[in-house]
Each structure stands twice: as C-alpha cells, then as structure tokens.
Amino acid sequence: MSLPKQVRLVEVGPRDGLQNEKQPISVADKVRLVDDLTAAGLSYVEVGSFVSPKWVPQMAGSADVFAQIQQKAGVTYAALAPNLKGFEDALAAGVKEVAVFAAASEAFSQKNINCSISESLQRFVPVMDAAKQHGIRVRGYVSCVLGCPYDGDVAPEQVAAVSRELFAMGCYEVSLGDTIGTGTAGATRTLFDVVGRDIPRDKLAGHFHDTYGQAMANIYASLLEGISVFDSSVAGLGGCPYAKGASGNVASEDVVYLLNGLGIHTGIDLDLLIQAGSRICEVLGKANGSRVAKAKLASA
Ligand code: HMG
Ligand code: MG
C-alpha cells in the first residue's frame, strides 16, 4: 500500500501531556501552550478534559483555558467528556468538539472511568444524542489496544468490537490508544488490519505512547496500513494517571520530522513547534522528550 500524501496530527499535549503532572500548572501557562501550538500550524488541539477533578485534578481548570485561548479559524479545539455531565460542562465552556473514551480491557475501564466497557458505552449514548442535537462532533478513543497494565494481552478482535460500537453510535473517528506503549510494529499492522475490516481506515487514528520506544516504528507501520491521523504530544509530554509507568505520547516534533522526511504534508512549522515544546518544558522544569527538539536545540 502506498503512503498517505497528507497526515493530520491531533495534538494531545495540553490534555494527555499535562493531565499526569503533579505540580500545579497555571491557566496562563496552559493557554500559552495551546496558542503556541496553533501558531506552529497545528489544526487540532485537545485542550483539556471535563472529567471529575477528584480523579484528574490537573484538568480542573479546563473551562478557564477554553475561555482564554485565542481561537483561530480552521482549528479544532477539543476536550474529553466521559459522561453527560462532562459533555454539558464542555458545552457551557463553548467547546465545539468532544471525545469520549472507552477501553478494550475491562480492568482498565474500571480503573480509568469506574465502570465496565459496556456500561461506558451505554453512558456515551446520551452524550452522542446531546452532541447531535448541538451539532458537536464526537471523536472516540479506545485504550489498551496493544496491551493492558492489569489484564495483559488484548485481542485485536476485542479492540475491533469496542471500536465498532463507538463508530456505530456516531463517533466520526476512532483513535486506537497504545496506552502503555508495549505494542510493536507487527502487532500494530495486525491491529489495523483487523479493526480496518469493520471501519474505513480513513476513520481510524493511531495514539501511541512511547514507553517502550516503539511509537515511531508503530506510526510507520500504521502509515503502511493506510492510517493518516496520529495523536502526538509536544515534547513527548504525558502519561495516563491510571496506567502506572506509562510515559508520554510520541513527541509531535519527532512525528513531524518523520513525515517531512517522507514528503508527507502536515502544514506544521517544525521550528515553531520546537519553540512551543521548549517553552512548556521550561515551565515544567522537565527535560524535553523530543529527540528531534533536543538535537536541533543542541546544534542551534
Ligand atoms: P464516578 O466517581 O464513578 O462518578 O467517576 P459518579 O457518576 O458516581 O459521580 C461521582 C461524583 O463525580 C459526583 O459528584 C459527580 O457530580 C462527579 P458529588 O456528587 O460526589 O459531588 N462527576 C463529575 N465531575 C466533573 N466532571 C464530570 C463528572 N462526572 C461525575 N464529568 C468518572 C466516573 C468517569 C467521572 C471518573 O472516573 C473520571 O472522571 N474519570 C476520568 C479519568 C481520566 O480522565 N483519565 C485520563 C484520560 S483517558 C486517557 O488518558 C487515555 C487516552 O489518552 C487514550 C490512551 O492513551 O489510551 C484518551
Ligand atoms: Mg493517551
């Protein structure tokens, strides 16, 4: 199969990247990060989450972040909504696109959203109805698609079953999350092969955490399977609070570098993206998790 000519990156740094940070991060710093990312040409940014602040305290200020970002035409600013309450809060904050999130493993579903997979899918039905009524698009996530921190191996057929449900209830795209980063390129190809039997490949996305250093290989494997949407996090920030040891998503800078090398268009300015990543790393007092950013900054 030939590689896609164009790829859309879903920047999840402000949400997946920051949700796991223990130190308080000001609304102003979060706003600056989102605005820096769109200045670099990102056309889709996951800004925050409307989840329980008891579960994920760092995302508590998401409505304030939405109120203060400079919303640019042509950019999608999205948020996670785990249930109708989250959807209603997102709506009140002026959010135009939300994402619901399910898991392919029962144990992760319980730990992350306190219910079974089938209960979670039932919870999403009123969210889908309300979203339709308000003209809001809904993206779907499936976590633990290549392994679960509690249940171990996850069969691609199980991922396909949950993805099918999300797609059937109206999610316009389903993002498959390797939450703990254990997947390898062969397993990734098999996964998209199996899930792609039920859902068109242009409605699927890849969401790779880089815990085992496999994310770039998995993205390349996904490209070979005709996948053209990838979630990534500036400076490789992040992790999931309910997946111990999970490191950040693949760094956006590294994905842009890979795609530039393949002649695949993203519309993203790599230098500005590197600046955005450096700035948030300074705020967090963290080392930059992007290999490309580190190399370019060292040689500047
Ligand atoms: P629960 O405790 O079962 O909820 O949590 P509940 O319905 O029983 O309600 C209990 C209390 O929570 C009530 O308040 C509700 O109002 C409140 P009280 O009466 O006790 O004062 N509540 C809420 N508050 C704010 N926003 C809401 C909300 N809903 C209820 N939306 C719940 C269930 C789903 C809320 C909780 O488990 C939760 O918030 N989980 C979120 C976990 C999370 O955000 N995880 C990280 C994101 S997923 C991820 O990172 C994976 C991904 O990146 C893909 C990948 O890598 O695989 C997407
Ligand atoms: Mg994630």
Side-chain angles (χ1 to χ4, degrees):
M1 185 180 275
S2 59
L3 297 175
K5 296 208 168 17
Q6 208 161 312
V7 156
R8 179 160 60 83
L9 285 194
V10 169
E11 171 60 51
V12 296
R15 193 279 302 171
D16 208 345
L18 299 186
Q19 69 184 10
N20 212 22
E21 290 293 329
K22 299 284 175 285
Q23 57 178 311
I25 305 165
S26 71
V27 168
D29 284 326
K30 291 177 180 173
V31 168
R32 163 83 70 80
L33 173 62
V34 173
D35 290 343
D36 280 354
L37 290 165
T38 56
L42 264 313
S43 62
Y44 191 117
V45 182
E46 208 169 68
V47 172
S49 294
F50 291 86
V51 297
S52 162
K54 286 191 193 126
W55 285 65
V56 186
Q58 190 61 259
M59 290 291 110
S62 291
D64 296 330
V65 179
F66 269 96
Q68 292 176 39
I69 51 178
Q70 283 177 5
Q71 301 223 8
K72 288 171 78 172
V75 176
T76 302
Y77 298 90
L80 296 191
N83 52 19
L84 194 56
K85 169 160 175 48
F87 177 81
E88 283 166 352
D89 291 350
L91 194 65
V95 178
K96 302 282 188 313
E97 173 157 333
V98 298
V100 293
F101 47 108
S105 80
E106 285 294 350
F108 187 80
S109 184
Q110 290 290 350
K111 298 270 184 198
N112 195 40
I113 48 175
N114 207 23
C115 63
S116 69
I117 298 170
S118 88
E119 280 164 345
S120 75
L121 295 169
Q122 281 161 30
R123 249 181 220 178
F124 300 153
V125 172
V127 174
M128 301 307 299
D129 290 345
K132 200 168 174 194
Q133 207 183 321
H134 290 91
I136 288 187
R137 298 205 314 162
V138 184
R139 193 170 192 248
Y141 277 108
V142 183
S143 285
C144 296
V145 299
L146 291 166
C148 169
Y150 312 103
D151 286 347
D153 288 346
V154 173
E157 288 74 17
Q158 173 63 12
V159 181
V162 179
S163 305
R164 252 192 329 260
E165 298 257 10
L166 289 175
F167 192 60
M169 69 171 72
C171 291
Y172 73 89
E173 181 172 283
V174 179
S175 175
L176 304 187
D178 183 9
T179 318
I180 52 169
T182 49
T184 54
T188 299
R189 291 199 74 165
T190 305
L191 176 71
F192 282 115
D193 184 43
V194 173
V195 182
R197 286 176 203 154
D198 300 319
I199 301 178
R201 288 174 195 226
D202 63 354
K203 307 287 184 213
L204 292 173
H207 177 111
F208 296 102
H209 285 261
D210 201 26
T211 320
Y212 284 72
Q214 302 300 304
M216 293 293 277
N218 292 344
I219 288 179
Y220 190 66
S222 309
L223 287 167
L224 292 173
E225 288 296 322
I227 303 303
S228 61
V229 181
F230 297 99
D231 306 349
S232 63
S233 176
V234 70
L237 297 174
C240 176
Y242 297 100
K244 198 162 173 260
S247 71
N249 288 83
V250 63
S252 307
E253 298 89 323
D254 298 2
V255 181
V256 171
Y257 185 83
L258 169 77
L259 296 171
N260 284 349
L262 291 168
I264 298 176
H265 182 74
T266 60
I268 295 163
D269 182 321
L270 182 56
D271 292 328
L272 288 179
L273 184 59
I274 289 172
Q275 277 179 34
S278 301
R279 190 130 77 172
I280 187 65
C281 287
E282 265 173 47
V283 169
L284 299 173
K286 272 189 117 161
N288 199 315
S290 159
R291 303 284 289 268
V292 168
K294 270 197 283 202
K296 290 238 183 209
L297 291 167
S299 64

